[in-house]
């Protein structure tokens, strides 16, 4: 049993089913150990993809997602994905290789001071220095990732803790003599070092996963909010990702929202919480609705840029905010009722405390409903406008029509994804994944892998901008090797539109924002995936249907959708 087996033993005991990685000599025993323990090892083409995948799996299953990456450049390649997980409050465990304990700081291959690099982006860092410390360090890492405000952690695993003792002794040259007195002394020192490193290695065995307590609200505070809610004329709720960070409790949260009877907007991972259609769920004109509300409940939603730093909420309105994070609770605007607790539990408790609402707030709901319907009709008209190529709204409506009940949608891009987000209706909770507050392009491939590993058999759609898909293209190789039957839709407008739009308007210059009409379907085909193309609105249903069938047969497929591009400045952009 080597250190890699011990690491795997902990992963298994914590309920980890898949380990995401890109290999390196420093971590080989973790990969072989995981495989031997029956953990599926999914090897990617970029370390960021491995961490994005671990992030997605954590969000979807509630069990910390795990990525193993090699020392030095393997680790530095994870930083963006790690920061993304931190901002999304996603419990990820990054296992990083490191040089041998005696070689640290002595110019070994890929040896850099890794901890200061990782520390700002994680909740905690763990550095086992002996084999017997591997198991407890990892167990503490899992607990830290899940507790309080969830987030990523880093475990640095020196290579000589991971390999079999005999191999390590050989590396340290302990099998040979020679070198005179100084050689003898050096060998004595190293022998002692290795013996200390391996001493009592067999004493530690992985225990079951710790159940982290869920922070619950004080009942008096909940009752006070229930009273306030009863008196409200135009209450509104915004429910965000943190309210569904315990996947086991999502159904109870949905039931509570339904029972409360308060009009609701859903964001992040909470999208789809009430299914694809529900009378309390409004999707459009959120800003207007928030401005008109006299009581706003933010469940796991901070007053950040997405709510204009809190300015969208009227000063006179009562603001109730429930959040696990003390910082997020008060960010930019102090709530009248700040509840530091799990927002999902808060909603469940509030629904119990609030009197049954029956037909309450029906005028208010009707006002919001008519605005929603008005916007839907506008979209319908816009979707039917034909241009030279494909209308992005028509395409997204086509995707929405084909979306299965077991589908998960992964969003990675700018304007095209923005369009998809108000047209495509996730069929249930935890069925829409976007990067979150960090707004990171490039999450696509990793999120697809994480979703597929979490729900084998689910229908997985990737909605990409043509700029964003560039980060994920090499991982079509991963999709093919691991038979990930994703339907990847690429909105090809030959442009980084979301940026071009503003840059051209403000600076009258398109430097750096244009792309080519690349044949992304051929790139995917080159990796062995299916590749289809849509040139016109008339082809949408037929080609999307073909793509769905390819995926249903177990193969990945990329659909390159040639989109119309809006003129940022009439006649100025060349394509
Ligand atoms: C890693 C990263 N790099 C750059 C950006 C800045 N950015 C935000 S949206 C966007 C354009 C996205 O273009 P594309 O994926 O083609 O989608 P489109 O807007 O064209 O639909 C860019 C470059 C970012 N958010 N993340």
């Amino acid at each position: 049993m080597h250190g890699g087996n011990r690491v795997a033993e902990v992963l298994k005991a914590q309920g980890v089913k898949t380990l995401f990685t890109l290999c390196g000599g420093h971590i080989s025993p973790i990969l072989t150990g995981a495989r031997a323990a029956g953990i599926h090892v999914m090897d990617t083409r970029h370390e960021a993809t491995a961490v994005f995948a671990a992030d997605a799996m954590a969000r979807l299953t509630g069990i910390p997602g795990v990525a193993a990456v090699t020392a030095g450049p393997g680790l530095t390649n994870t930083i963006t994905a790690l920061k993304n997980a931190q901002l999304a409050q996603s419990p990820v465990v990054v296992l990083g290789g490191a040089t041998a304990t005696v070689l640290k700081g002595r110019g070994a291959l890929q040896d850099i001071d890794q901890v200061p690099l990782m520390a700002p982006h994680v909740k905690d860092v763990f550095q086992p220095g002996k084999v017997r410390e591997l198991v407890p360090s990892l167990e503490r890492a899992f607990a830290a990732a899940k507790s309080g405000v969830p987030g990523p952690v880093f475990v640095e695993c020196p290579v000589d803790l991971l390999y079999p003792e005999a191999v390590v002794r050989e590396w340290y040259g302990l099998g040979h003599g020679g070198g005179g007195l100084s050689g003898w002394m050096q060998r004595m020192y190293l022998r002692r070092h290795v013996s200390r490193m391996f001493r009592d290695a067999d004493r530690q065995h992985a225990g079951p996963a710790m159940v982290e307590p869920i922070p619950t609200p004080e009942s008096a505070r909940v009752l006070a909010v229930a009273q306030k809610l009863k008196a409200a004329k135009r209450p509104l709720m915004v429910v965000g990702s943190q309210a569904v960070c315990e996947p086991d409790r999502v159904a109870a949260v949905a039931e509570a929202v339904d029972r409360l009877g308060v009009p609701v907007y859903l964001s992040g991972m909470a999208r789809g919480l009430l299914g694809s259609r529900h009378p309390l769920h409004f999707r459009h004109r959120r800003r207007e609705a928030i401005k008109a509300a006299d009581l706003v409940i933010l469940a796991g939603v901070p007053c950040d840029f997405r709510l204009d730093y809190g300015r969208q909420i009227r000063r006179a309105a009562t603001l109730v905010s429930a959040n696990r994070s003390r910082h997020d609770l008060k960010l930019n605007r102090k709530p009248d009722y700040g509840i530091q607790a799990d927002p999902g539990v808060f909603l469940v408790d509030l629904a119990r405390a609030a009197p049954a609402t029956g037909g309450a707030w029906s005028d208010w709901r009707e006002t919001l409903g008519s605005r929603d319907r008005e916007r839907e009709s506008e979209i319908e008209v816009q979707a039917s406008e034909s241009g030279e190529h494909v209308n992005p709204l028509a395409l997204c409506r086509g995707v929405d029509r084909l979306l299965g009940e077991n589908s998960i949608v992964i969003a990675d891009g700018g304007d095209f994804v923005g369009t998809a987000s108000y047209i495509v209706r996730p069929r249930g909770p935890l069925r829409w994944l976007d990067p979150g507050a960090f707004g990171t392009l490039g999450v696509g491939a990793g999120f697809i892998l994480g979703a597929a590993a979490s729900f084998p058999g689910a229908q997985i759609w990737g909605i990409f901008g043509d700029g964003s898909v560039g980060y994920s293209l090499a991982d079509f190789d991963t999709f093919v090797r691991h038979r990930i039957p994703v339907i990847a839709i690429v909105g090809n407008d030959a442009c980084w539109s979301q940026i071009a739009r503003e840059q051209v308007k403000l600076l009258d210059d398109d430097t750096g924002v244009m792309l080519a009409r690349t044949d992304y379907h051929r790139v995917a085909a080159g990796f062995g995936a299916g590749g289809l193309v849509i040139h016109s609105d008339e082809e949408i249903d037929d080609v999307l249907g073909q793509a769905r069938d390819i995926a249903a047969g177990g193969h990945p497929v990329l659909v390159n959708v040639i989109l119309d591009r809006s003129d940022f400045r009439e006649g100025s952009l060349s394509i």
Side-chain angles (χ1 to χ4, degrees):
M1 177 129 175
H2 56 59
N5 298 122
R6 293 175 206 282
V7 170
E9 196 192 7
V10 178
L11 303 192
K12 186 108 182 148
Q14 297 287 330
V16 173
K17 302 242 172 353
T18 307
L19 171 67
F20 301 97
T21 191
L22 194 156
C23 65
H26 290 88
I27 54 164
S28 291
I30 297 181
L31 311 190
T32 60
R35 186 184 186 170
I39 294 169
H40 183 197
V41 178
M42 230 182 230
D43 48 328
T44 67
R45 300 302 299 265
H46 198 298
E47 285 83 0
T49 299
V51 175
F52 285 134
D55 172 358
M57 198 154 185
R59 297 190 204 185
L60 294 173
T61 63
I63 297 169
V66 188
V69 297
T70 203
L75 208 66
T76 54
N77 265 350
T78 66
I79 301 280
T80 300
L82 200 62
K83 195 75 197 174
N84 193 67
Q86 186 190 42
L87 266 71
Q89 302 177 338
S90 182
V92 167
V93 177
V94 173
L95 307 175
T99 194
T101 46
V102 283
L103 293 178
K104 212 168 168 49
R106 298 179 62 195
L109 174 74
Q110 298 175 345
D111 177 28
I112 54 165
D113 200 0
Q114 302 186 136
V115 169
L117 204 69
M118 302 295 276
H121 318 297
V122 293
K123 287 180 76 176
D124 215 339
V125 168
F126 300 85
Q127 289 184 282
K130 306 195 170 57
V131 178
R132 67 174 175 277
E133 290 168 5
L134 279 172
V135 169
S137 297
L138 273 156
E139 288 180 338
R140 289 208 312 277
F142 272 85
K146 271 289 279 180
S147 69
V149 180
V153 296
F154 170 51
V155 186
E156 186 177 61
C157 306
V159 65
D160 46 355
L161 302 194
L162 298 177
Y163 277 83
E165 185 170 349
V167 174
V168 175
R169 285 187 182 278
E170 187 65 25
W171 282 345
Y172 278 48
L174 298 179
H176 318 287
L181 182 63
S182 72
W184 179 83
M185 284 173 64
Q186 206 175 42
R187 275 197 302 284
M188 284 300 285
Y189 169 78
L190 290 176
R191 199 163 284 146
R192 238 196 343 258
H193 179 80
V194 173
S195 298
R196 253 190 254 132
M197 215 163 56
F198 281 92
R199 189 175 304 146
D200 296 335
D202 287 326
R203 285 240 189 114
Q204 298 288 343
H205 288 287
M210 294 250 293
V211 180
E212 288 302 313
I214 298 175
T216 52
E218 279 173 38
S219 43
R221 304 279 289 160
V222 177
L223 271 177
V225 174
Q227 289 306 323
K228 235 11 210 181
L229 180 60
K230 194 175 159 197
K233 301 265 180 305
R234 294 178 309 281
L236 194 77
M237 263 195 315
V238 186
V239 179
S241 300
Q242 207 192 66
V244 294
C245 75
E246 298 285 344
D248 292 352
R249 303 174 71 99
V250 166
V253 177
E255 216 178 284
V257 171
D258 178 61
R259 199 181 117 75
L260 278 165
V262 176
V264 63
Y265 284 84
L266 302 169
S267 67
M269 298 294 294
R271 289 169 55 100
L273 182 68
L274 302 178
S276 56
R277 287 179 203 279
H278 190 286
L280 287 176
H281 176 208
F282 300 92
R283 305 174 66 233
H284 306 296
R285 301 202 171 147
R286 188 176 86 168
R287 179 188 299 261
E288 266 174 72
I290 292 178
K291 271 206 151 54
D294 65 348
L295 182 144
V296 177
I297 299 175
L298 300 180
V301 178
C303 280
D304 63 11
F305 67 97
R306 292 165 290 191
L307 289 176
D308 284 343
Y309 309 95
R311 286 195 303 261
Q312 281 179 14
I313 302 159
R314 287 199 305 166
R315 279 279 146 208
T318 303
L319 176 60
V320 179
S321 184
N323 207 298
R324 286 184 177 220
S325 156
R326 195 177 170 70
H327 173 264
D328 286 355
L329 203 56
K330 299 187 174 166
L331 185 68
N332 295 315
R333 171 134 179 201
K334 197 165 173 287
D336 301 288
Y337 296 85
I339 317 276
Q340 194 184 348
D342 179 89
V345 174
F346 166 70
L347 291 175
V348 170
D349 288 2
L350 182 64
R352 276 200 205 112
T357 48
W361 309 304
S362 52
D363 288 353
W364 169 230
R365 288 209 301 238
E366 183 42 38
T367 307
L368 297 174
S370 68
R371 282 190 205 144
D372 238 37
R373 288 191 293 277
E374 219 173 275
R375 178 71 188 117
E376 288 290 346
S377 325
E378 277 172 26
I379 292 170
E380 200 165 329
V381 172
Q382 288 165 355
S384 64
E385 287 165 1
S386 56
E388 195 185 339
H389 304 294
V390 178
N391 178 329
L393 284 81
L395 189 277
C396 290
R397 284 165 74 89
V399 170
D400 191 54
R401 277 195 295 278
L402 286 195
L403 222 54
E405 283 308 308
N406 66 343
S407 56
I408 302 176
V409 181
I410 279 88
D412 183 8
D415 279 355
F416 181 55
V417 160
T419 303
S421 73
Y422 66 76
I423 294 183
V424 174
R425 291 162 306 135
R427 298 306 194 244
L430 305 176
R431 294 186 174 280
W432 171 277
L433 276 165
D434 61 31
F438 203 34
T440 321
L441 298 184
V443 298
F447 279 14
I448 287 165
L449 293 173
S454 303
F455 298 114
Q459 186 189 65
I460 298 175
W461 294 76
I463 310 279
F464 289 95
D466 54 343
S468 306
V469 80
Y471 298 90
S472 289
L473 283 175
D475 275 301
F476 275 78
D477 168 73
T478 313
F479 301 154
V480 170
R481 283 183 295 107
H482 288 276
R483 294 180 62 83
I484 307 294
V486 63
I487 309 161
I489 308 288
V490 179
N492 187 345
D493 54 8
C495 183
W496 301 87
S497 289
Q498 196 175 93
I499 304 304
R501 211 166 12 91
E502 293 298 308
Q503 182 174 314
V504 174
K505 190 168 78 191
L506 300 175
L507 301 170
D508 200 22
D509 190 328
D510 65 9
T511 304
V513 294
M514 305 310 294
L515 292 165
R517 288 272 193 205
T518 300
D519 284 346
Y520 296 104
H521 53 294
R522 286 185 203 267
V523 179
F527 281 115
L532 302 172
V533 61
I534 303 182
H535 295 280
S536 68
D537 292 354
E538 292 67 44
E539 296 167 2
I540 291 175
D541 282 344
D542 180 38
V543 178
L544 288 183
Q546 285 177 45
R548 185 193 50 187
D549 294 345
I550 292 173
H555 304 289
V557 54
L558 184 151
V559 186
N560 185 17
V561 186
I562 311 301
L563 293 182
D564 277 335
R565 192 180 58 205
S566 46
D567 286 325
F568 307 109
R569 191 188 55 204
E570 204 66 46
S572 67
L573 301 175
S574 49
I575 177 150

